[in-house]
Amino acid sequence: MKDSLTRALAGYRAQFSAFTAGQKVVAIVGTAALLLGGFMVYRWASAPTYAPLYANLSSADASAITQELDSTGVPYQLSDGGNTILVPQDALYQARLDVAGKGLPSSSKAGTDPFANSGIASSDFEQQTNVRMALESDLATTIEHIQGISTAVVHLAIPQKQAFSDNQSPTTASVLVQTDPGASLTPGQVQTIVQLVSSSVDGLDPKNVSVADSTGRVYTNPGADGSDPMMQDQQVAAVQNDLQTKLQAMLDRVVGPGNSTVQVTPVLDFDKKVTDITSYTPDSKNPVSSQTTSEEKYQGPGAANAAGGVVGPDGQLLGANAAGSSASKYDKKATTQDRAIGSTVQRVESTPGQIKSLHIGVAMDAAATKNVPLASIQKLIASTAGVNVPRGDTIQVAQVPFDRSAEAAAQQELQAAQAAQSSASRNDLIRKGALAGVVLLALLLALIKSRKRAKARAEATTYLVEQLREQAAQQQVLEQSNALALEAAEHTPEDDMRDELSALIERQPEDVASLLRGWLTER
């Protein structure tokens, strides 16, 4: 290993020494640029990824947070004019916990504090205004934590309470939100905002909360009765989709998929009704609260005055002689009792959104359902949807020929697309097979040619080695036979070169053969 490294270094040194001055400068500058580029790439790859720690900070909070990060040794970067602080991604949560432990950031909305200028001499109006501003700021901050909302502004209209007035103006609220690009509020999020704001403000009815976004879209539009048309449409759509799904699933099982279609039109009652029912339940076991008794008695002729008549000047009863001459008796007794009567008051409050009426239309393909009885289908649909005819529900089932042209065209297009895909796959397979065959043929030809060249080199090497050996033997015999003549003759440079060549052939016959083979294979 050490010898190989030494030889490689020696080879590089020899090649560098063979360069010209310009080539040496280019090589040095290129190597330095390559090393510098590699170092910069390493620095870029090893640099930490920064994430926002806090955004929309006030100057005081930004200064306090940077001082805390300096004390803890956490690197940071400032952006957005110093209102946003960035820290490495791996240290984000720990840094946020450390900063929060110091009570930072201290302001909730861009450093505004509604109580900053309040003092002991503040008026009641100023205190109420500060409370309202603080409540608006807290509600806006809470709403901004909802997913999809970037900014929120809350305005509260809280009228002053009047002690001696029966007509009190209601409290109202308006919420303006800015959503993320491409996002919009869902009905659930709108309901969450309405409930959050109405529950946070005393005396605020949810129907008096208005929600809109920065594009001008109004999500809540309460009516005079507090009904929300947006929620009403969603409730109608939910009832319609639920009934259509159930009916379509049943018909697909009965007449087959694609042979029927169902349309349901529900009419919902969104009026809020309150009914009071009072029922009385008399009971003889109840105690007597009051009792009145009246009694009258009449016996004999002397009681004729009680029977009636005209009194004369002497006190006698005129016109009563006949009655006074006969015996008589009169009794009357009446008793009236008042007892407590039990009463039950029942208040029935109907929930808005109940089904007022249903209208169902069913169309079946006449060609596929000609043997299906319509009466049975109509009964099944009425039972499944809960049709109530006295309520005003209607149901209509008809067998009509369906237009299958679109399905036939779609089927033809699908078959054509499948055929084109199969043809493309087959052509692609053929192309790949042909390309693979060409590559294999080229490799085979290269292998055959390489083997031929190797065989030719081996034969040439063998021939040259044999020729060199024969020449060496002849040269040795010739040198031995003419040794005396050569010693006597004059020694020339050509003789020295020949002697060196002979010695080289004897010492390194393989190297000489390789050199001669290279000369022979060159054109």
Side-chain angles (χ1 to χ4, degrees):
M1 181 66 183
K2 183 178 179 180
D3 296 340
S4 301
L5 182 60
T6 303
R7 288 195 298 269
L9 293 176
Y12 293 151
R13 190 181 300 108
Q15 292 178 1
F16 184 77
S17 300
F19 287 169
T20 61
Q23 291 177 343
K24 291 181 179 179
V25 172
V26 171
I28 294 174
V29 173
T31 303
L34 183 61
L35 293 176
L36 181 60
F39 176 73
M40 295 300 294
V41 170
Y42 172 75
R43 286 287 303 274
W44 173 78
S46 60
T49 302
Y50 282 82
L53 178 65
Y54 287 107
N56 299 325
L57 293 171
S58 63
S59 300
D61 284 340
S63 176
I65 291 175
T66 53
Q67 291 179 4
E68 179 65 22
L69 294 177
D70 289 334
S71 63
T72 56
V74 177
Y76 62 89
Q77 295 179 357
L78 298 178
S79 64
D80 194 16
N83 295 330
T84 302
I85 299 178
L86 306 175
V87 298
Q89 182 69 39
D90 54 354
L92 174 64
Y93 301 105
Q94 186 62 40
R96 186 170 295 173
L97 292 175
D98 295 339
V99 171
K102 300 296 182 179
L104 298 174
S106 59
S107 59
S108 59
K109 290 292 290 181
T112 59
D113 187 2
F115 301 100
N117 298 323
S118 62
I120 192 172
S122 299
S123 63
D124 183 64
F125 176 76
E126 292 178 351
Q127 293 179 359
Q128 293 180 359
T129 303
N130 292 335
V131 171
R132 179 179 56 81
M133 293 176 57
L135 184 57
E136 291 174 349
S137 178
D138 291 341
L139 286 174
T141 303
T142 305
I143 293 173
E144 288 176 357
H145 285 82
I146 299 177
Q147 184 177 5
I149 298 178
S150 59
T151 307
V153 178
V154 179
H155 295 289
L156 300 177
I158 304 177
Q160 294 183 356
K161 295 183 179 181
Q162 300 177 3
F164 302 100
S165 177
D166 295 335
N167 298 324
Q168 178 71 30
S169 299
T171 302
T172 59
S174 62
V175 181
L176 180 65
V177 299
Q178 182 177 1
T179 59
D180 295 337
S184 60
L185 296 181
T186 62
Q189 291 176 332
V190 175
Q191 188 68 18
T192 300
I193 294 174
V194 171
Q195 292 297 328
L196 176 65
V197 175
S198 62
S199 301
S200 302
V201 181
D202 184 20
L204 179 58
D205 197 326
K207 68 181 182 180
N208 293 327
V209 179
S210 176
V211 181
D213 61 9
S214 57
T215 61
R217 179 180 178 182
V218 179
Y219 291 93
T220 58
N221 185 18
D225 57 350
S227 60
D228 190 350
M230 181 178 179
M231 300 301 295
Q232 293 179 6
D233 295 340
Q234 293 175 357
Q235 191 170 355
V236 171
V239 174
Q240 182 179 8
N241 294 334
D242 182 60
L243 290 176
Q244 287 186 177
T245 302
K246 292 180 179 178
L247 295 176
Q248 191 64 57
M250 182 192 67
L251 290 174
D252 289 343
R253 295 285 295 177
V254 175
V255 300
N259 295 324
S260 64
T261 178
V262 182
Q263 290 296 327
V264 179
T265 304
V267 178
L268 304 184
D269 187 5
F270 293 99
D271 295 335
K272 186 177 181 180
K273 299 178 181 179
V274 179
T275 304
D276 293 336
I277 302 174
T278 303
S279 58
Y280 298 95
T281 56
D283 191 354
S284 60
K285 297 180 181 181
N286 293 336
V288 177
S289 60
S290 63
Q291 182 176 348
T292 303
T293 303
S294 63
E295 185 178 355
E296 295 181 3
K297 291 182 180 182
Y298 169 72
Q299 293 180 355
N305 293 333
V310 179
V311 180
D314 296 331
Q316 74 276 14
L317 183 63
L318 300 178
N321 295 328
S325 61
S326 60
S328 63
K329 184 178 181 180
Y330 172 79
D331 293 327
K332 181 181 180 181
K333 186 177 181 179
T335 301
T336 302
Q337 293 180 348
D338 295 332
R339 297 178 182 272
I341 298 176
S343 62
T344 303
V345 179
Q346 182 181 7
R347 170 164 290 188
V348 180
E349 183 175 349
S350 61
T351 304
Q354 295 182 352
I355 297 178
K356 190 175 182 179
S357 62
L358 284 177
H359 306 280
I360 304 175
V362 179
M364 299 188 299
D365 190 7
T369 62
K370 58 183 178 180
N371 297 326
V372 177
L374 297 182
S376 300
I377 296 296
Q378 187 168 350
K379 290 180 180 179
L380 287 174
I381 294 173
S383 300
T384 303
V387 174
N388 188 359
V389 177
R391 186 178 58 183
D393 297 352
T394 60
I395 179 172
Q396 183 68 31
V397 180
Q399 289 180 334
V400 294
F402 278 16
D403 184 9
R404 304 285 185 176
S405 58
E407 297 179 4
Q411 186 66 24
Q412 292 179 358
E413 292 179 359
L414 180 61
Q415 293 177 356
Q418 292 178 352
Q421 185 178 3
S422 301
S423 178
S425 301
R426 184 170 55 255
N427 294 335
D428 184 63
L429 183 61
I430 292 174
R431 286 194 298 269
K432 290 181 179 179
L435 181 61
V438 171
V439 172
L440 291 176
L441 181 60
L443 293 176
L444 182 61
L445 293 177
L447 181 61
I448 294 174
K449 188 174 182 181
S450 176
R451 289 183 177 180
K452 288 183 178 180
R453 288 181 178 178
K455 184 177 181 181
R457 289 179 180 178
E459 292 178 354
T461 301
T462 304
Y463 174 76
L464 288 175
V465 170
E466 292 179 354
Q467 292 295 326
L468 289 174
R469 289 178 179 176
E470 291 179 359
Q471 291 178 4
Q474 293 177 1
Q475 185 67 25
Q476 185 178 2
V477 173
L478 182 61
E479 290 177 356
Q480 291 177 358
S481 60
N482 296 328
L484 297 175
L486 290 174
E487 291 177 355
E490 183 180 358
H491 194 71
T492 62
E494 290 79 6
D495 296 334
D496 294 335
M497 185 177 297
R498 188 180 296 107
D499 294 338
E500 291 178 0
L501 181 60
S502 299
L504 179 62
I505 293 172
E506 290 179 357
R507 292 194 307 270
Q508 299 177 353
E510 296 295 334
D511 296 338
V512 176
S514 299
L515 179 62
L516 295 177
R517 184 169 59 251
W519 290 349
L520 292 175
T521 56
E522 291 181 356
R523 295 182 179 274

